[in-house]
């Protein structure tokens, strides 16, 4: 997350803007996220209604730009965002999620 927040180009590459050249690497990242989510759910520490496909979108949202709504991000804004997202993924008493997972 630190690299994505600090490096121009990473956001575009992970988003698919570099064409098929990165398909093998992106496939490995997808597989790693899928395994991580499955293991966390099997261990009971991650809410069961989150699809692994939700997680890349959540992580992309963590790496915020330097400004939004005339507010300036703090030095470790990505870290604060990540902690909020991770806490929201924890298993105890989640509210139901609306909609369907990404395809």
């Amino acid at each position: 997350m630190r690299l994505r927040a600090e490096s121009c180009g990473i956001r575009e590459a992970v988003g698919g803007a570099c064409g098929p050249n990165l398909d093998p690497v992106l496939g490995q990242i997808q597989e790693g996220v899928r395994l991580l989510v499955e293991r966390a759910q099997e261990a009971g520490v991650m809410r069961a209604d989150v699809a692994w496909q939700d997680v890349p979108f959540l992580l992309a949202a963590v790496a915020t730009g330097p400004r939004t709504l005339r507010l300036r991000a703090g030095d470790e804004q990505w870290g604060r965002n990540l902690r909020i997202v991770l806490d929201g993924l924890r298993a105890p008493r989640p509210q139901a999620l609306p909609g369907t997972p990404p395809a």
Side-chain angles (χ1 to χ4, degrees):
M1 291 315 313
R2 178 184 304 272
L3 180 61
R4 186 173 179 144
E6 294 175 355
S7 174
C8 64
I10 295 293
R11 183 177 309 212
E12 291 80 9
V14 173
C18 295
N21 295 338
L22 291 180
D23 284 352
V25 173
L26 296 177
Q28 291 174 347
I29 294 170
Q30 284 182 344
E31 182 64 9
V33 170
R34 184 186 67 76
L35 289 172
L36 183 64
V37 169
E38 284 179 3
R39 290 175 183 159
Q41 288 172 330
E42 288 170 3
V45 296
M46 182 175 175
R47 47 189 298 170
D49 59 345
V50 174
W52 75 264
Q53 296 94 330
D54 289 315
V55 174
F57 287 96
L58 294 170
L59 295 177
V62 166
T64 185
R67 295 182 177 270
T68 187
L69 295 175
R70 295 184 289 162
L71 301 169
R72 188 180 344 212
D75 295 340
E76 293 287 324
Q77 191 65 52
W78 70 268
R80 293 176 58 82
N81 295 354
L82 182 59
R83 175 56 42 209
I84 292 167
V85 167
L86 291 176
D87 284 351
L89 289 172
R90 293 193 196 285
R93 298 184 286 161
Q95 293 187 10
L97 295 175
T100 58

